[in-house]
Amino acid sequence: MRSRNLLGNAVGLLVAAVLYFELHLQIVGPFAHWREHEVPSTSAHQREGLNNRNLNDWALSSDEEESKQRAVANMKHAATAAVSGSGTDEGRCRIALDSLDELFDRKRRIRQELVKSLIAKTDVWPKEETAFFDLYEPEAVCLLDERFGGSGEKRYAHFGDGPKFVCGADVVASQEGTCLVYSVGSKNEIDFERSAKEIMGCEVHTFDPTLRKPFIGDKYAVFHPWGFGREGGSMEVRDSNITTRYYNITTRSLAGVMKSLRHDGKILDILKIDCEGCEYEAVTDAFKEIAAGNLTIGQVQVEIHKYYRDGHDLHDLANLFRAADVASMRIFHKERNGWGCNGYKCVEYSFVSESVLR
């Protein structure tokens, strides 16, 4: 049922998909297995430069070429079946989805191998800080993504800084039971909470340990003055009223918060997080909990920050995305923050679980 909601008109999708698929399968790259452990750190004396490898040097093995051709054949078969009307709607949709999954997996593996190769040479790649996020691009397509949660009164009129790209808001709203949304980082900007409540009808919870004024979004969300990170950990945060003042807080893990709110065992449909640096612990740990089967999250919208003050480097970034891969979360949108962070030190990423995307 969810697949049909996401696909809409099966014939139009399948015909368009075969063109998209053939175009993008021209990408070539290595398919070596990514090891099931975190990226190792290197010593300080190894942090010197990087001789960029020519991407044209990557070549497909015979097995990889065969996989590519098989995926193209599957998509062509799906498109032919859609046009001729042969097979069931469910069968045709499944063929198309399987073929698209193969494409998305292919793009992910190429990125994984390239990241691994670069980190083996240095952990301060790149020298130009503007390229810090360049390796991590969208690798999946959500047919119903939209900029969601802005100050505009009309839906689809949400622009500027603040809104996040959400996949299938109407699909989330149409599921049985009340959807659940966590919004981490507030500063009393409640547009996302309002949209989640009014458009999707979700139960919404907002978290911000830096807020020193009364929360103004009680109509739309339940407020909690908690910081996210490792359970029982410590994090230095900036005062929301006095930006030059920093202080330490005790952090909570997502799993711990959900247990405290009696949400353990429930699906967290959307985790929206903008916590000025806590994402390297909070989101990475959340992905690990998903992979371990302890949490189920439909999608994650997170702003990832490149702050030298906090000492984040390529390893932290690689570990976050590696955890997303293991958790079967796909990148479906990326946006550099052009309203702050010098236009490149903060990047908005949207992830969606493979099961939700299908």
Side-chain angles (χ1 to χ4, degrees), residues 89-327:
D89 287 345
E90 182 177 353
R92 292 195 296 269
C93 287
R94 185 169 57 250
I95 292 172
L97 290 168
D98 289 346
S99 298
L100 288 171
D101 270 342
E102 190 165 352
L103 169 62
F104 301 154
D105 288 343
R106 180 183 179 80
K107 294 165 73 174
R108 174 191 282 168
R109 288 193 295 267
I110 291 172
R111 181 256 299 167
Q112 289 172 339
E113 183 65 19
L114 182 56
V115 170
K116 184 168 63 173
S117 174
L118 293 172
I119 291 179
K121 297 173 182 288
T122 178
D123 64 352
V124 293
W125 182 92
K127 289 183 177 179
E128 301 79 12
E129 60 178 345
T130 54
F132 187 72
F133 296 98
D134 281 2
L135 293 179
Y136 302 94
E137 296 295 324
E139 295 160 356
V141 177
C142 174
L143 299 175
L144 297 176
D145 73 332
E146 63 177 282
R147 187 186 283 272
F148 184 88
S151 59
E153 294 183 2
K154 294 183 178 180
R155 189 175 176 184
Y156 309 122
H158 297 169
F159 307 103
D161 190 19
K164 311 296 181 183
F165 280 89
V166 169
C167 179
D170 290 323
V171 177
V172 173
S174 67
Q175 297 177 95
E176 292 184 8
T178 303
C179 48
L180 181 62
V181 174
Y182 281 8
S183 177
V184 181
S186 169
K187 295 189 297 186
N188 256 340
E189 297 171 359
I190 60 168
D191 295 324
F192 190 88
E193 284 86 338
R194 183 179 64 232
S195 295
K197 184 68 173 180
E198 293 184 343
I199 295 176
M200 296 191 295
C202 295
E203 175 184 347
V204 186
H205 293 259
T206 300
F207 306 85
D208 193 335
T210 70
L211 195 61
R212 292 292 178 262
K213 298 178 180 179
F215 181 60
I216 64 174
D218 292 329
K219 182 179 178 180
Y220 311 110
V222 179
F223 179 77
H224 308 276
W226 301 339
F228 276 58
R230 290 192 177 92
E231 187 69 26
S234 177
M235 181 178 65
E236 188 178 57
V237 298
R238 183 170 55 188
D239 194 300
S240 60
N241 297 324
I242 305 175
T243 58
T244 57
R245 178 186 297 170
Y246 289 82
Y247 54 93
N248 287 318
I249 63 167
T250 300
T251 56
R252 302 288 311 275
S253 68
L254 178 60
V257 166
M258 294 189 71
K259 184 175 182 180
S260 295
L261 298 179
R262 297 183 179 180
H263 292 154
D264 47 326
K266 292 187 176 181
I267 295 174
L268 179 56
D269 292 280
I270 294 177
L271 172 63
K272 189 273 288 184
I273 183 164
D274 183 359
C275 57
E276 308 300 326
C278 86
E279 65 272 8
Y280 285 98
E281 290 187 353
V283 176
T284 303
D285 287 350
F287 287 150
K288 291 179 179 179
E289 292 288 342
I290 295 172
N294 300 325
L295 294 179
T296 302
I297 302 177
Q299 51 189 298
V300 176
Q301 286 73 30
V302 56
E303 184 172 51
I304 303 179
H305 303 79
K306 173 67 172 101
Y307 286 149
Y308 291 111
R309 180 181 182 278
D310 297 327
H312 300 311
D313 60 15
L314 186 61
H315 293 286
D316 299 309
L317 194 66
N319 286 333
L320 188 153
F321 281 93
R322 172 56 187 152
D325 295 341
V326 176

Side-chain angles (χ1 to χ4, degrees), residues 2-40:
R2 182 175 296 184
S3 295
R4 293 183 183 180
N5 286 335
L6 286 173
L7 288 172
N9 186 304
V11 173
L13 170 78
L14 293 171
V15 172
V18 69
L19 298 176
Y20 170 88
F21 199 69
E22 287 194 84
L23 173 64
H24 287 275
L25 274 179
Q26 301 308 312
I27 301 172
V28 296
F31 279 11
H33 292 292
W34 182 262
R35 291 189 296 271
E36 294 293 330
H37 57 67
E38 292 186 345
V39 177

